[in-house]
Amino acid sequence: MKLNEILLKVGVKTELLSDFELEGIAPLDKASAKQISYVDQTQYLKDLEGSQAGAVLIREAHKEKVPNHIQAIIVENPHLVFAKISHFFKKPEFSGVGADAQCGNDVKIMPNAVMGKNVFIGDGTEIMAGVVISDGVKIGKNCKIYPNVVIYRDSCIGDNVIIHAGSVIGSDGFGYAHTKDGEHIKIEHNGCVIIEDDVEIGANTTIDRAVFGETRIKKGVKIDNLVQIGHNCIIGEHSIIVSQVGIAGSTTTGRNVIMGGQAGTGGHIHIGDFVMVAGRGAVGKNLPPHTKWGGHPLMELDEWMKFYVSLRRMLKKQKVNDENK
Amino acid sequence: MKLNEILLKVGVKTELLSDFELEGIAPLDKASAKQISYVDQTQYLKDLEGSQAGAVLIREAHKEKVPNHIQAIIVENPHLVFAKISHFFKKPEFSGVGADAQCGNDVKIMPNAVMGKNVFIGDGTEIMAGVVISDGVKIGKNCKIYPNVVIYRDSCIGDNVIIHAGSVIGSDGFGYAHTKDGEHIKIEHNGCVIIEDDVEIGANTTIDRAVFGETRIKKGVKIDNLVQIGHNCIIGEHSIIVSQVGIAGSTTTGRNVIMGGQAGTGGHIHIGDFVMVAGRGAVGKNLPPHTKWGGHPLMELDEWMKFYVSLRRMLKKQKVNDENK
Amino acid sequence: MKLNEILLKVGVKTELLSDFELEGIAPLDKASAKQISYVDQTQYLKDLEGSQAGAVLIREAHKEKVPNHIQAIIVENPHLVFAKISHFFKKPEFSGVGADAQCGNDVKIMPNAVMGKNVFIGDGTEIMAGVVISDGVKIGKNCKIYPNVVIYRDSCIGDNVIIHAGSVIGSDGFGYAHTKDGEHIKIEHNGCVIIEDDVEIGANTTIDRAVFGETRIKKGVKIDNLVQIGHNCIIGEHSIIVSQVGIAGSTTTGRNVIMGGQAGTGGHIHIGDFVMVAGRGAVGKNLPPHTKWGGHPLMELDEWMKFYVSLRRMLKKQKVNDENK
């Protein structure tokens, strides 16, 4: 589809661009000469020079920074226009329903499992009743996919993976651009979810697909029930994520991280190797390796254990002082 | 069904009432002359005069307040008797399963989707595998209902709505009356859920039907994964509800409210327009428009940001003082 | 299967044992002469004498404590070897799919419900579309199992039980043994879930099966949406568990306990009869009957209500003092 036509449809008035056949959208560092990207914040201007993007949506104030090999398209709100353009490249969830999954040996597929096109299922894997697997999903060997699990398109599941009933792998991440009037325009998510070998995922857990690239659950990770993993997260090898934890978008963890029940994180955070966050801990900043944390606001676990005890003691003392006056 | 017969069955002894054919239950302000209502708390006695209810369950102490046009039925626990009567008016979830959904143009219905009676689906809407849609549900145009979503009876979904896999729309609200022995008697929920245009709902989210009337998600609201919206809530236009938030029953929000991840509210609260509640914020009271909040207990965000810093400083200071004594 | 063969397969070198046909694994107090158990912690050594186990995995340091009627198998990490052995006794989720459920009178089974072998369904029960019921599940009379509920094998559901859409009953508990290299070895869960009469369970809630024995939801309990109940929990009669609560493994409650929304508990805790935990309360220790609690860290509700008020007052006072200096 011509970029000119798309821009017209999303309400952007630009001078006529060269005859540009747009093939997709991508972030600056990933975009090819057939793709469009955007810059919204000053901090990303430095990435323009090295980008291979064919075009970039950019504010008037920043247009001088666009190198010659990239077409600059001046708009008031680059993120918003980018979101609108993303809709032209949304892939359908199911291009069709086929009984044409490519299955290895000893695959068991129960009744009422539904698969899209180009699904691959490895040796010895069991797909239970009510499972829905969308286009282009690959599942490895000796997996157990329990009833009513849903796996969105292009997800990639390793060997010996267990996914318990009702979990959803690859749903769209929660990402929108915002108009002046306070409306939210969906950013289509065309990234995927990758789940490596030996992962176990509990019941009714949700793992969102990436906006671009991937959300990745690394080898040996164990995730409990009702956990939320946001788009573009990476969970390090052998990490343990207990029930009802929420990991916000683009947060990454090192290996053998433990997140206690109902803990949560902000987005775009890194949690170092072997970090332990106590149940209900609220992570709002990067955490160095081999440290232990708890509480909200988050404190080092040692401090947290004493903090409220000290406060109670102080209040009691003050009360005594006040009474003695 | 005769009211006398119903009362007999729920164990209420009353003098013979006039020959009253009961057609349903309703709150005082909504009840018709064929319906029964109840008053449990003194604060609602003032609503009796204006009510059109045919009968009212009321305590002995309040019976003088019942106007002549309403039959007073004296009981020890009006709420409990009301709950028991509600069971006679429970509608079945599915009156039958039909392939008779009324579909607009270009509707795509995947295999293993099941629909009840009197379902209407608008042009261009896609119903994916494993979706279950109950009696009387109306879905607008160009919606995407992802796999294994369940939509309970009488729900009403607008245009351009996206509901991700595993979400449940219209399940019964969590409402019970309590006996002296500590048992809980279900209050049947015959209200509905209304989801307006341009709403997106994440995966494995739950939105409960109203006990009476409606739970309403207004135009343009975006709800993330694993969110709980209780019975009779109203979420204002273009609000953003991040993952794992819980909104308790009868709470309402203005427009463009933002609730951060894992935030929660009590019931029967109003959150004003453009309010922002930080992740994990616990809302226990009405919040005025254009304010920002965080923490548990909830504080204005500015105070919350400094509160724990100040406490830590105070503790440190005190420790130094103690050591210097 | 011979114990010797199993030990060989899990990499344990032992002297040749007597010709022992192993029939299963169990905790010390439940194991029969055909079963193997383990002792990992000093506190459980006292249970060895009374145990009927045929064999026990135990550390070198503890071997003297094993009575003559139990074969001691010396290993470095008894829990880990026990986990590995558990894999030989994992029962398949579905031994087959049958239309051979034994149904009482007036049972309604909607299309697209799938059942395993040896399922029993009582009079008047309704199984809605997309429900998946595994081997050996027993469901009582007059139950309503809403669409897309999944009930894992050997679960036992009483009379008049309501389970709302998307809930998962009997998924594996979250239990692993850990290797020196930081890998987690699944402990197979062969216990079950028992749900007694008159229980209602909301939408997308998860209740895990026990590792051994049972997870039990007692008579009249009401559980809201998106709640997590861990393996081996017991929830006492007529308790109320509000939305998004998480109860960690092996925690038990007395009768008529109320857990407010988003509350949580640690594991292996007992909460006494009639205890009330406010929303978001975080229970980390046993709670005596007839008490009320809130906050994180948890305090008695009275203290919690005043605690932060006092802290704010103290901070304000100190600020005034500092300004007056």
Side-chain angles (χ1 to χ4, degrees):
Chain A
M1 203 172 178
K2 300 286 184 210
L3 176 54
N4 275 333
E5 287 173 45
I6 291 176
L7 290 172
L8 208 66
K9 287 188 182 179
V10 302
V12 173
K13 291 172 200 158
T14 61
E15 305 149 47
L16 221 62
L17 295 163
S18 66
D19 192 35
F20 188 157
E21 183 72 25
L22 190 66
E23 292 186 356
I25 60 173
L28 269 185
D29 60 330
K30 297 278 166 54
S32 74
K34 304 275 186 163
Q35 292 180 312
I36 191 168
S37 193
Y38 80 102
V39 182
D40 219 4
Q41 295 172 276
T42 319
Q43 65 189 106
Y44 297 117
L45 289 171
K46 62 178 172 20
D47 299 333
L48 276 164
E49 195 54 54
S51 174
Q52 302 301 314
V56 66
L57 299 156
I58 199 159
R59 294 178 202 280
E60 176 77 37
H62 296 150
K63 73 176 176 188
E64 305 302 332
K65 307 284 186 179
V66 180
N68 284 337
H69 68 281
I70 306 180
Q71 288 203 43
I73 299 162
I74 312 303
V75 293
E76 204 181 335
N77 185 341
H79 190 226
L80 177 60
V81 175
F82 190 69
K84 289 179 177 173
I85 294 178
S86 77
H87 293 225
F88 293 86
F89 299 98
K90 160 99 179 136
K91 287 173 71 174
E93 192 57 39
F94 288 91
S95 64
V97 173
D100 63 349
Q102 237 186 298
C103 290
N105 298 318
D106 293 320
V107 168
K108 281 187 212 158
I109 298 179
M110 280 183 59
N112 283 1
V114 174
M115 295 188 211
K117 296 283 182 190
N118 299 315
V119 170
F120 177 89
I121 298 173
D123 297 349
T125 283
E126 194 172 351
I127 308 289
M128 301 191 204
V131 169
V132 181
I133 296 175
S134 188
D135 285 14
V137 170
K138 280 171 191 42
I139 300 179
K141 296 176 187 173
N142 300 316
C143 295
K144 281 187 199 308
I145 313 297
Y146 278 84
N148 291 352
V149 164
V150 177
I151 305 178
Y152 280 56
R153 69 183 157 78
D154 300 327
S155 300
C156 192
I157 317 274
D159 296 339
N160 310 311
V161 170
I162 300 170
I163 306 179
H164 282 283
S167 282
V168 175
I169 310 300
S171 42
D172 288 350
F174 197 65
Y176 303 90
H178 311 289
T179 71
K180 277 191 231 171
D181 301 331
E183 286 173 63
H184 316 296
I185 306 299
K186 183 177 176 68
I187 298 160
E188 293 295 346
H189 281 59
N190 281 317
C192 68
V193 172
I194 295 176
I195 294 175
E196 296 185 358
D197 297 346
D198 306 323
V199 168
E200 181 163 6
I201 295 169
N204 284 348
T205 276
T206 57
I207 302 178
D208 281 348
R209 72 186 319 112
V211 54
F212 303 108
E214 61 193 40
T215 302
R216 184 177 284 264
I217 312 296
K218 290 195 175 173
K219 189 177 159 65
V221 168
K222 308 299 179 186
I223 298 176
D224 202 349
N225 300 341
L226 293 168
V227 167
Q228 153 73 357
I229 310 274
H231 50 183
N232 294 78
C233 286
I234 298 171
I235 309 296
E237 292 88 345
H238 309 302
S239 290
I240 287 188
I241 313 290
V242 179
S243 182
Q244 295 178 323
V245 164
I247 312 272
S250 299
T251 284
T252 58
T253 86
R255 63 166 292 181
N256 282 88
V257 166
I258 299 175
M259 301 282 295
Q262 299 184 333
T265 78
H268 295 270
I269 282 169
H270 181 70
I271 299 180
D273 291 348
F274 297 95
V275 166
M276 210 210 81
V277 177
R280 201 66 79 70
V283 183
K285 58 174 184 183
N286 294 346
L287 301 181
H290 294 279
T291 52
K292 295 182 180 183
W293 303 82
H296 177 223
L298 198 76
M299 304 177 194
E300 291 217 48
L301 198 60
D302 280 350
E303 184 186 355
W304 193 81
M305 304 282 273
K306 292 174 202 154
F307 185 68
Y308 291 89
V309 176
S310 303
L311 288 177
R312 287 165 101 166
R313 196 181 299 135
M314 188 163 60
L315 280 179
K316 201 172 279 180
K317 203 174 176 181
Q318 202 204 4
K319 209 179 153 196
V320 172
N321 284 346
D322 288 358
E323 286 165 0
N324 290 347
K325 272 182 193 168
Chain B
M1 204 169 179
K2 300 287 184 209
L3 176 54
N4 276 333
E5 287 172 44
I6 291 174
L7 290 173
L8 207 67
K9 287 188 182 178
V10 302
V12 174
K13 291 172 201 159
T14 62
E15 306 148 47
L16 219 64
L17 295 163
S18 66
D19 191 35
F20 188 157
E21 183 72 26
L22 189 66
E23 290 187 356
I25 59 172
L28 269 185
D29 60 329
K30 296 278 166 54
S32 74
K34 305 273 186 167
Q35 291 180 314
I36 192 167
S37 192
Y38 79 102
V39 182
D40 220 3
Q41 295 172 278
T42 318
Q43 67 189 105
Y44 297 118
L45 288 171
K46 63 176 171 20
D47 299 334
L48 276 165
E49 195 55 54
S51 174
Q52 302 302 313
V56 66
L57 298 156
I58 199 159
R59 293 178 203 280
E60 176 77 36
H62 296 149
K63 73 176 175 188
E64 305 302 331
K65 306 284 186 181
V66 181
N68 285 336
H69 69 280
I70 305 180
Q71 287 204 44
I73 298 162
I74 313 302
V75 294
E76 204 181 334
N77 185 339
H79 190 227
L80 178 60
V81 177
F82 190 71
K84 288 179 177 174
I85 294 179
S86 79
H87 293 225
F88 292 86
F89 298 98
K90 161 100 180 134
K91 288 172 70 174
E93 192 57 40
F94 288 90
S95 64
V97 173
D100 63 349
Q102 237 188 299
C103 291
N105 298 318
D106 293 320
V107 168
K108 281 186 211 159
I109 297 178
M110 282 183 58
N112 281 2
V114 174
M115 296 189 212
K117 294 286 182 187
N118 299 315
V119 170
F120 177 89
I121 297 173
D123 298 349
T125 283
E126 196 171 349
I127 308 289
M128 301 189 203
V131 169
V132 181
I133 297 175
S134 189
D135 285 14
V137 169
K138 280 171 189 41
I139 300 179
K141 297 176 186 171
N142 300 315
C143 295
K144 282 187 199 307
I145 313 296
Y146 278 84
N148 290 354
V149 164
V150 177
I151 306 179
Y152 280 56
R153 70 184 156 78
D154 302 327
S155 299
C156 191
I157 316 273
D159 296 339
N160 309 312
V161 170
I162 299 170
I163 305 179
H164 283 283
S167 282
V168 175
I169 310 300
S171 41
D172 287 349
F174 197 63
Y176 302 90
H178 312 288
T179 71
K180 277 189 234 173
D181 301 331
E183 287 174 61
H184 316 297
I185 306 299
K186 183 177 176 70
I187 298 160
E188 293 295 346
H189 280 59
N190 282 317
C192 68
V193 172
I194 295 177
I195 293 175
E196 297 185 357
D197 298 346
D198 306 324
V199 168
E200 181 162 6
I201 295 169
N204 283 349
T205 277
T206 57
I207 302 179
D208 280 349
R209 72 188 315 113
V211 54
F212 303 109
E214 61 194 43
T215 303
R216 184 178 284 265
I217 311 297
K218 290 194 174 173
K219 189 177 158 65
V221 168
K222 309 299 182 187
I223 298 176
D224 202 348
N225 300 342
L226 293 169
V227 167
Q228 153 72 357
I229 311 274
H231 52 181
N232 295 77
C233 287
I234 299 172
I235 308 297
E237 293 87 343
H238 309 303
S239 289
I240 287 187
I241 314 290
V242 178
S243 182
Q244 295 178 322
V245 164
I247 313 272
S250 299
T251 284
T252 58
T253 87
R255 63 166 292 181
N256 282 88
V257 165
I258 299 174
M259 301 282 296
Q262 297 183 335
T265 78
H268 296 271
I269 282 169
H270 181 69
I271 300 179
D273 291 348
F274 297 96
V275 166
M276 210 209 81
V277 177
R280 200 66 76 74
V283 183
K285 57 173 185 183
N286 294 345
L287 301 180
H290 293 281
T291 52
K292 295 181 180 183
W293 303 83
H296 178 224
L298 197 75
M299 303 177 194
E300 292 215 48
L301 199 58
D302 279 351
E303 184 186 355
W304 193 82
M305 304 283 272
K306 293 172 202 157
F307 185 70
Y308 291 90
V309 177
S310 302
L311 288 178
R312 287 166 102 165
R313 196 181 299 135
M314 189 163 59
L315 280 180
K316 201 172 280 179
K317 203 174 175 179
Q318 201 203 4
K319 209 180 154 197
V320 172
N321 284 346
D322 288 357
E323 287 167 357
N324 290 345
K325 273 183 192 168
Chain C
M1 204 169 180
K2 300 285 184 212
L3 177 54
N4 275 333
E5 287 173 43
I6 291 175
L7 289 173
L8 208 67
K9 288 189 181 177
V10 302
V12 173
K13 291 174 200 157
T14 62
E15 306 148 47
L16 220 61
L17 295 164
S18 66
D19 191 34
F20 190 157
E21 182 74 26
L22 191 65
E23 291 186 356
I25 59 173
L28 269 186
D29 59 332
K30 297 278 166 53
S32 74
K34 305 274 187 166
Q35 291 179 314
I36 193 167
S37 192
Y38 79 103
V39 182
D40 219 2
Q41 293 173 278
T42 318
Q43 66 189 106
Y44 297 117
L45 288 172
K46 64 177 170 21
D47 300 332
L48 276 166
E49 194 55 52
S51 174
Q52 302 302 315
V56 66
L57 299 156
I58 199 160
R59 294 179 201 281
E60 176 78 35
H62 296 149
K63 74 176 174 187
E64 304 302 332
K65 306 283 186 179
V66 181
N68 284 337
H69 68 281
I70 305 179
Q71 288 204 45
I73 299 160
I74 312 302
V75 295
E76 202 180 338
N77 185 341
H79 190 227
L80 177 61
V81 175
F82 191 69
K84 288 179 177 173
I85 294 179
S86 77
H87 293 226
F88 293 86
F89 298 97
K90 160 103 180 130
K91 288 172 69 174
E93 193 55 39
F94 289 90
S95 65
V97 173
D100 64 348
Q102 235 187 301
C103 291
N105 298 317
D106 294 319
V107 168
K108 282 187 211 159
I109 297 178
M110 282 184 58
N112 281 3
V114 174
M115 296 188 212
K117 295 285 182 189
N118 298 316
V119 170
F120 176 88
I121 298 173
D123 298 348
T125 283
E126 196 172 350
I127 308 289
M128 301 189 204
V131 169
V132 181
I133 296 174
S134 189
D135 284 14
V137 169
K138 280 170 191 42
I139 301 180
K141 296 176 187 173
N142 300 315
C143 295
K144 282 187 198 309
I145 312 297
Y146 278 85
N148 290 353
V149 164
V150 177
I151 305 179
Y152 280 56
R153 70 183 156 78
D154 300 327
S155 300
C156 192
I157 317 273
D159 296 338
N160 310 310
V161 170
I162 300 170
I163 306 178
H164 283 282
S167 282
V168 175
I169 311 299
S171 41
D172 287 350
F174 197 65
Y176 303 90
H178 312 288
T179 71
K180 278 191 233 173
D181 301 331
E183 286 175 61
H184 316 296
I185 306 298
K186 182 177 177 69
I187 297 160
E188 294 295 346
H189 281 58
N190 281 318
C192 68
V193 172
I194 295 176
I195 294 175
E196 297 186 357
D197 298 345
D198 307 323
V199 168
E200 181 162 6
I201 295 169
N204 284 348
T205 277
T206 58
I207 301 178
D208 280 349
R209 72 185 320 112
V211 55
F212 302 108
E214 60 194 41
T215 302
R216 184 177 285 264
I217 312 297
K218 289 195 175 174
K219 189 177 157 63
V221 168
K222 309 299 181 187
I223 298 175
D224 202 349
N225 300 341
L226 293 169
V227 167
Q228 153 73 356
I229 311 274
H231 52 182
N232 294 77
C233 286
I234 298 172
I235 308 297
E237 293 88 343
H238 310 302
S239 290
I240 288 188
I241 312 290
V242 178
S243 182
Q244 295 178 323
V245 164
I247 313 273
S250 299
T251 284
T252 57
T253 87
R255 63 166 292 183
N256 282 89
V257 165
I258 299 175
M259 302 281 297
Q262 298 183 334
T265 78
H268 296 269
I269 282 168
H270 181 70
I271 300 180
D273 292 347
F274 297 95
V275 165
M276 210 210 82
V277 177
R280 201 66 78 73
V283 183
K285 57 173 184 183
N286 293 347
L287 301 180
H290 294 280
T291 52
K292 295 182 179 182
W293 303 83
H296 179 224
L298 197 75
M299 304 178 194
E300 291 216 51
L301 198 59
D302 279 350
E303 184 185 356
W304 193 81
M305 303 284 273
K306 292 173 202 155
F307 184 70
Y308 291 91
V309 177
S310 304
L311 288 177
R312 287 164 102 166
R313 196 181 299 135
M314 189 163 60
L315 280 179
K316 202 172 277 177
K317 204 172 174 181
Q318 201 204 5
K319 209 180 156 197
V320 172
N321 284 346
D322 288 358
E323 285 167 0
N324 289 346
K325 273 181 194 168

